[in-house]
Amino acid sequence: MRLNTVLLGAAVLLLVAMSALAYAEWRQFSLSRATGLRLRALQDSVENLLIDLVDAETGQRGFLLTGEARYLEPYNRAVQMVPAEMATLNGLIAPSGGGPGVDMVRLGSLVDQKLAELSQTIEVRKKQGFAPAAERVLSDEGKKSMDEIRVICAAIERNLEAELREVQAGVVTSTGGALLITTLGSLALIVLLVAGFLAIDRGTLAREQALAEARSARDLLSTTLASIGDAVISTD
């Protein structure tokens, strides 16, 4: 009985320990997953920002060449999207600070500068014609801004790739740890279960043996008492 109690207590403690360790691994996995999702969203935001700026530039060039307002549709759409993408980018990158080599203030300034340059050339094209607008484009002011924007975005993406590799390694470690804990815990529980069955089996055999001995002793006592009665009669 005492052995069964010890085994039961050990099994309960093992289950509690397994639950605590599994919860810790699950929590680590959840944190890694949340970080991974944030980094993926940040990657998408960087890509969308560059796409919007390229679309704005494409619309501007189309309008400068043709003077037709329909070519401004990509520009107008991009101009509406860029501020939202910058806000998303700043919100997502804030927890990690963007990493070394990333100047979000500078990026915001360059984006504003690029949009202002596009807007100015469009206004010049509307009011003064193609030649003055083309002269502004050929000054390479807009190209310099766009090149620096690409450099900063590339630095962000490099940092994101490094962080994503760390997160993926953490997820693999957490998953492997949880699997190891589950496997070892299950094996330990099987051992305790087998030991418990063996202890119960030994207890059952001992009980049956004790009952058999009791029956044997009872039969012997009955025979002895009957013999005593016969002896008394014979003696009398």
Side-chain angles (χ1 to χ4, degrees), residues 138-220:
L138 293 174
S139 68
D140 283 344
E141 178 185 347
K143 181 180 184 302
K144 291 176 183 177
S145 299
M146 197 64 190
D147 288 344
E148 193 170 349
I149 289 172
R150 287 192 175 95
V151 168
I152 294 177
C153 288
I156 294 175
E157 290 179 337
R158 284 194 300 271
N159 292 331
L160 291 179
E161 288 296 334
E163 287 190 60
L164 277 172
R165 284 193 294 270
E166 291 180 5
V167 169
Q168 289 169 353
V171 169
V172 171
T173 301
S174 298
T175 305
L179 180 61
L180 180 63
I181 289 170
T182 303
T183 302
L184 294 178
S186 299
L187 290 175
L189 285 175
I190 291 173
V191 171
L192 289 174
L193 183 64
V194 171
F197 275 123
L198 291 177
I200 292 173
D201 188 54
R202 285 195 297 269
T204 301
L205 290 176
R207 181 173 177 274
E208 291 178 352
Q209 184 177 358
L211 288 174
E213 291 176 354
R215 284 194 294 269
S216 178
R218 184 188 61 189
D219 293 342
L220 178 62

Side-chain angles (χ1 to χ4, degrees), residues 4 49 68 85 92-94 100-102 107 114 116 132 171-172 197 208 211 217 220 229-230 236:
N4 290 341
L49 176 63
E68 296 184 15
E85 288 298 341
L92 289 170
I93 210 167
V102 175
L107 177 61
K114 179 61 180 177
V171 169
V172 171
F197 275 123
E208 291 178 352
L211 288 174
L220 178 62
D230 293 338
D236 188 49

Side-chain angles (χ1 to χ4, degrees), residues 14-120:
L14 182 59
L15 284 173
V16 171
M18 284 178 61
S19 299
L21 291 173
Y23 174 76
E25 293 292 340
W26 172 82
R27 183 172 177 78
Q28 180 62 38
F29 174 80
S30 299
L31 291 173
S32 298
R33 182 175 180 275
T35 302
L37 291 175
R38 181 182 66 81
L39 294 176
R40 292 293 185 190
L42 189 49
Q43 278 186 326
D44 292 341
S45 185
V46 172
E47 292 174 2
N48 290 337
L49 176 63
L50 289 174
I51 290 171
D52 289 339
L53 289 174
V54 170
D55 286 346
E57 204 171 49
T58 301
Q60 174 229 29
R61 298 297 168 84
F63 177 74
L64 294 184
L65 291 173
T66 65
E68 296 184 15
R70 62 191 177 94
Y71 283 95
L72 287 176
E73 290 179 5
Y75 167 81
N76 292 329
R77 184 170 55 251
V79 166
Q80 295 295 321
M81 296 297 296
V82 167
E85 288 298 341
M86 280 302 301
T88 301
L89 189 58
N90 280 309
L92 289 170
I93 210 167
S96 62
V102 175
D103 187 348
M104 292 303 298
V105 175
R106 178 60 179 164
L107 177 61
S109 176
L110 288 168
V111 169
D112 292 339
Q113 183 178 328
K114 179 61 180 177
L115 293 179
E117 180 263 333
L118 294 175
S119 177
Q120 289 169 5

